[in-house]
């Protein structure tokens, strides 16, 4: 595609070309349905944030259904304070690695033609995107990074007695989580159905607590990841699920992380917070230098007091100075603003104390970034970590570099589904792109074959560690206690003990209990990787 060809393409042409990327990881039936659904009606103008000078951002794809109070109560029944855990290398003085085995590879020139020419005469569902588009992490590990790198902000919140100060520091933690995507334009691997990830160790650089984090891929279409994390002393707990949905435009890709996440902070108080996340937008996916931003209006709520934080992730348009701007109003139960946050999630966040102000119609409407930074009105409250080796390691922060490492003591306790054993991801980390792409294709074929076998046998896939306790895509609950599963496909009953049973028998439930005894065989875990790795 030369410049003449590019300039002659219509908006619908771009839409079809981009859909080919999406179709590459679908089954044949799903791809056919997706193609048949495309029409001239899909030709829409670019989203508002692509128009320079527009203040409004593109809206969310759909309304998020919040899990019921009963679902939340069930999640709160999980008690995850823990003592010494087998395979804890850090307790024996183990230091995580500080560099990846291969480091960041040199840029590889790829264009649409490079990808599409291989599809000529072939079934498009057989074409796999090369691993050049990936970073050597699973999305489950990315969620762990987003949760724990700045977990010290939640620890600080849990120490506060005042509920508004707790909400303030919780909001800072939510903002800091966006930094995990800074300058990372390659995407994590999509987890295979049944893939898991565990993390056992200290939080980010400023954390003073040890954490256990566990995640499982509970659905493939739509792709849904469920997770649960807790501090060793039980004072900080965080859980939820994320379903990734996307939309393609002529020059950009939007990724919507759907679902609700929750945190419980104990200490002087016992508060439960809910939060939603912003939409990720990757610009210039076809032509030009790619860059990414977050847009949207996430909301954080203290479910016990009614106090809330209203955030707005500002769209940049074509103005570099406006990139990564975020505004937030911390509102009391009486409806008045007490704290105001301004800044860039990629750099620093500033605080203004504004007792008794009425909530404005539009956040940050009359302010510019130049008016916020060190002007005496605002106090710097948080700054992003400086990571010296980031550019040599896929722009990973220090905390992230060790997430895919198989530690010596931990190895004997890991289940075979842990994404550290995923062979294509491991090859990419070692710098072997060709082998990684070949293995990725083989794994995707194996997953499609497993799905066809289940459909033929009329079997339903049942996650091993989380149960569905709500309608829609959201509402996955971590099994906090061991319980017997039925030997048949059960019926989910809300407001009652869940026996979402399945095609397996034996004990199912608390991951860490089974891990300690190494009883993976009893769980009948799915065979998702390759026998010869």
């Amino acid at each position: 595609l030369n410049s003449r060809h590019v300039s002659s393409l219509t908006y619908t042409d771009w839409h079809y070309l981009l859909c080919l990327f999406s179709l590459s990881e679908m089954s044949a039936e799903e791809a056919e349905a997706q193609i048949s659904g495309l029409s001239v009606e899909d030709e829409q103008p670019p989203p508002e944030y692509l128009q320079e000078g527009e203040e409004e951002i593109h809206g969310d794809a759909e309304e998020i259904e919040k899990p019921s109070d009963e679902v939340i109560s069930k999640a709160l029944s999980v008690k995850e304070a823990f003592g010494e855990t087998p395979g804890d290398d850090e307790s024996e003085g183990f230091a995580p690695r500080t560099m990846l085995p291969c480091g960041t590879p040199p840029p590889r020139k790829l264009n649409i033609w490079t990808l599409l020419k291989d599809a000529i005469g072939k079934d498009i569902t057989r074409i796999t995107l090369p691993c050049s588009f990936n970073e050597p992490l699973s999305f489950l590990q990315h969620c762990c990074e987003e949760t724990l790198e700045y977990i010290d902000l939640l620890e600080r919140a849990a120490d506060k007695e005042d509920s508004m100060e707790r909400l303030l520091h919780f909001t800072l933690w939510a903002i800091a989580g966006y930094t995990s995507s800074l300058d990372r334009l390659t995407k994590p691997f999509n987890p295979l159905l049944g893939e898991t990830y565990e993390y056992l160790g200290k939080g980010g650089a400023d954390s003073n607590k040890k954490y256990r984090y566990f995640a499982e891929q509970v659905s493939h279409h739509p792709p849904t990841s469920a997770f649960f994390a807790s501090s060793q002393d039980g004072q900080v707990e965080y859980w939820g699920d994320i379903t990734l949905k996307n939309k393609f435009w002529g020059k950009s890709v939007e990724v919507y992380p759907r679902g609700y996440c929750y945190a419980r902070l104990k200490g002087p108080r016992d508060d439960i917070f809910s939060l939603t996340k912003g939409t990720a937008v990757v610009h210039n996916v076809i032509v030009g230098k790619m860059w990414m931003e977050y847009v949207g209006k996430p909301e954080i709520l203290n479910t016990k007091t009614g106090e809330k934080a209203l955030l707005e992730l500002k769209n940049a348009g074509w103005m570099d100075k406006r990139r990564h701007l975020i505004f937030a109003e911390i509102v009391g139960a009486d409806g008045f603003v007490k704290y105001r946050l301004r800044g860039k999630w990629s750099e620093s966040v500033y605080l203004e104390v504004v007792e008794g102000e009425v909530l404005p119609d539009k956040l940050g409407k009359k302010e510019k970034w130049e008016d916020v930074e060190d002007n005496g009105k605002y106090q710097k409250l948080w700054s992003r970590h400086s990571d010296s080796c980031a550019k040599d390691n896929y722009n990973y922060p220090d905390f992230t570099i060790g997430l895919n490492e198989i530690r010596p003591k931990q190895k004997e306790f890991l289940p075979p589904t842990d994404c550290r054993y995923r062979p294509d991801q491991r090859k990419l980390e070692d710098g072997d792109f060709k082998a990684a792409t070949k293995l990725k294709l083989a794994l995707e074929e194996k997953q499609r074959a497993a799905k066809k076998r289940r459909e033929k046998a009329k079997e339903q896939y049942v996650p091993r560690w989380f149960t569905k306790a709500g309608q829609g895509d959201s509402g996955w609950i971590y099994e906090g206690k061991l319980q017997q599963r039925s030997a048949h496909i059960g019926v989910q009953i809300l407001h009652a003990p869940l026996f979402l049973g399945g095609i397996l028998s034996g004990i199912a439930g608390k991951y860490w209990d089974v891990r300690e005894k190494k009883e993976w065989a009893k769980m009948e875990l799915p065979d998702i990787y390759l026998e010869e790795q």
Side-chain angles (χ1 to χ4, degrees):
L1 294 175
N2 57 35
S3 58
R4 180 174 58 84
H5 292 141
V6 170
S7 63
S8 66
L9 291 176
T10 67
Y11 190 82
T12 302
D13 293 331
W14 285 118
H15 188 71
Y16 273 92
L17 288 172
L18 285 166
C19 282
L20 290 174
F21 290 99
S22 178
L23 297 175
S24 66
E25 295 188 66
M26 294 182 181
S27 66
E29 294 79 6
E30 291 162 336
E32 183 178 355
Q34 184 79 3
I35 292 173
S36 64
L38 296 175
S39 67
V40 293
E41 295 178 356
D42 289 306
E43 185 169 348
Q44 305 174 35
E48 294 175 355
Y49 59 78
L50 293 180
Q51 307 298 325
E52 184 176 357
E54 293 285 344
E55 293 188 0
E56 294 295 328
I57 60 171
H58 190 67
D60 288 339
E62 60 187 51
E63 187 69 23
I64 305 174
E65 180 183 1
K66 186 174 183 178
S68 66
D69 291 340
E70 288 81 3
V71 172
I72 299 173
S73 297
K74 181 172 176 61
L76 291 175
S77 67
V78 177
K79 304 298 181 183
E80 274 293 296
F82 58 92
E84 292 300 321
T85 304
D88 181 3
D89 293 83
E90 287 189 9
S91 65
E92 300 183 17
F94 176 84
R97 65 189 181 185
T98 57
M99 294 286 291
L100 293 176
C102 185
T104 305
R108 307 187 76 198
K109 295 182 179 180
L110 292 172
N111 54 41
I112 292 179
W113 176 245
T114 302
L115 299 173
L116 296 186
K117 68 181 181 64
D118 294 329
I120 297 175
K122 298 181 181 179
D123 180 355
I124 188 65
T125 63
R126 303 287 181 180
I127 303 301
T128 297
L129 289 176
C131 285
S132 305
F133 285 89
N134 292 101
E135 62 179 15
L137 279 183
S138 166
F139 181 71
L140 301 180
Q141 293 166 309
H142 180 76
C143 290
C144 178
E145 171 192 9
E146 189 177 278
T147 301
L148 295 181
E149 186 187 0
Y150 289 95
I151 198 71
D152 60 285
L153 295 172
L154 286 193
E155 297 168 8
R156 195 183 309 171
D159 290 337
K160 302 294 182 181
E161 295 186 12
D162 181 77
S163 61
M164 288 293 285
E165 288 188 20
R166 283 187 151 213
L167 179 57
L168 171 64
H169 286 87
F170 185 93
T171 304
L172 280 176
W173 169 79
I175 293 172
Y178 291 112
T179 65
S180 64
S181 300
L182 183 63
D183 297 327
R184 305 253 292 271
L185 296 176
T186 49
K187 73 183 192 72
F189 281 84
N190 294 331
L192 300 168
L193 184 60
E195 188 172 314
T196 63
Y197 180 70
E198 70 162 60
Y199 175 84
L200 173 63
K202 188 174 171 289
D206 298 324
S207 172
N208 57 17
K209 297 180 186 289
K210 183 171 291 185
Y211 287 84
R212 292 200 305 200
Y213 174 96
F214 176 71
E216 178 183 14
Q217 190 71 4
V218 295
S219 173
H220 185 58
H221 288 302
T224 302
S225 307
F227 50 86
F228 189 100
S230 64
S231 62
Q232 187 170 18
D233 59 7
Q235 296 299 297
V236 177
E237 296 177 352
Y238 179 64
W239 71 93
D241 53 75
I242 295 176
T243 298
L244 292 180
K245 298 188 177 181
N246 55 58
K247 183 179 292 185
F248 297 102
W249 301 93
K251 294 182 179 180
S252 63
V253 178
E254 295 180 2
V255 180
Y256 304 92
R258 317 303 297 170
Y260 271 83
C261 302
Y262 294 88
R264 183 178 190 176
L265 304 182
K266 299 179 184 178
R269 298 173 52 87
D270 190 354
D271 291 313
I272 302 163
F273 298 86
S274 67
L275 71 150
T276 56
K277 296 180 179 291
T279 296
V281 184
V282 181
H283 296 272
N284 298 336
V285 293
I286 304 297
V287 178
K289 184 178 180 180
M290 283 198 299
W291 61 279
M292 197 211 75
E293 66 176 340
Y294 283 100
V295 299
K297 298 180 180 180
E299 182 173 320
I300 299 169
L301 174 68
N302 185 325
T303 62
K304 289 195 172 183
T305 66
E307 298 158 345
K308 58 186 176 181
L310 304 177
L311 289 74
E312 183 166 344
L313 294 152
K314 289 287 187 177
N315 58 294
W318 303 109
M319 305 295 291
D320 286 348
K321 290 184 178 180
R322 293 183 59 192
R323 288 186 185 180
H324 308 158
L325 287 183
I326 186 163
F327 299 139
E329 308 285 337
I330 314 297
V331 185
D334 58 3
F336 290 98
V337 179
K338 184 171 183 179
Y339 300 117
R340 178 171 292 139
L341 296 176
R342 300 289 185 265
K344 292 186 176 183
W345 55 261
S346 58
E347 296 179 10
S348 301
V349 174
Y350 296 78
L351 167 70
E352 179 189 11
V353 179
V354 284
E355 292 283 358
E357 284 198 14
V358 178
L359 184 68
D361 293 334
K362 183 172 291 187
L363 306 187
K365 182 177 181 180
K366 298 180 180 180
E367 293 175 305
K368 297 180 180 179
W369 170 243
E370 293 81 357
D371 299 331
V372 175
E373 188 175 13
D374 291 328
N375 65 353
K377 181 180 178 182
Y378 289 89
Q379 168 194 354
K380 183 181 288 189
L381 200 60
W382 169 85
S383 293
R384 181 178 66 89
H385 292 153
S386 176
D387 300 292
S388 58
C389 297
K391 291 185 178 180
D392 297 325
N393 295 277
Y394 285 86
N395 287 314
Y396 289 172
D398 294 339
F399 176 79
T400 309
I401 291 174
L403 292 183
N404 200 46
E405 183 178 17
I406 300 179
R407 302 179 179 182
K409 295 290 185 183
Q410 185 185 40
K411 184 176 182 179
E412 62 178 295
F413 293 96
L414 289 177
T417 53
D418 193 283
C419 53
R420 294 176 182 87
Y421 292 132
R422 180 164 175 164
D424 52 349
Q425 184 172 302
R426 183 62 60 187
K427 286 292 185 182
L428 179 60
E429 185 180 89
D430 292 337
D432 192 339
F433 286 92
K434 186 175 181 181
T437 299
K438 183 178 180 181
L439 286 166
K440 184 181 179 184
L441 173 61
L443 289 171
E444 290 172 356
E445 289 291 341
K446 183 173 183 176
Q447 182 169 236
R448 294 188 188 105
K451 179 182 178 181
K452 289 181 180 179
R453 286 195 299 270
R454 288 195 301 272
E455 291 174 345
K456 185 176 181 180
K458 297 182 179 181
E459 294 177 345
Q460 176 186 353
Y461 179 82
V462 179
R464 300 314 192 249
W465 309 107
F466 290 81
T467 55
K468 190 71 168 61
Q471 305 299 320
D473 298 328
S474 190
W476 288 91
I477 302 301
Y478 172 66
E479 288 284 9
K481 59 182 179 180
L482 294 174
Q483 65 181 18
Q484 197 73 22
R485 286 183 185 245
S486 60
H488 57 84
I489 295 181
V491 178
Q492 178 177 323
I493 305 174
L494 292 178
H495 322 316
L498 299 181
F499 296 96
L500 188 58
I503 31 186
L504 66 147
S505 58
I507 295 177
K510 197 169 184 180
Y511 172 85
W512 298 98
D513 285 352
V514 178
R515 176 190 183 276
E516 181 175 353
K517 299 174 183 177
K518 306 177 189 177
E519 293 181 332
W520 305 122
K522 291 185 178 180
M523 296 303 301
E524 299 183 26
L525 299 176
D527 177 20
I528 57 176
Y529 300 140
L530 302 174
E531 294 182 4
E532 296 183 6
Q533 298 182 11

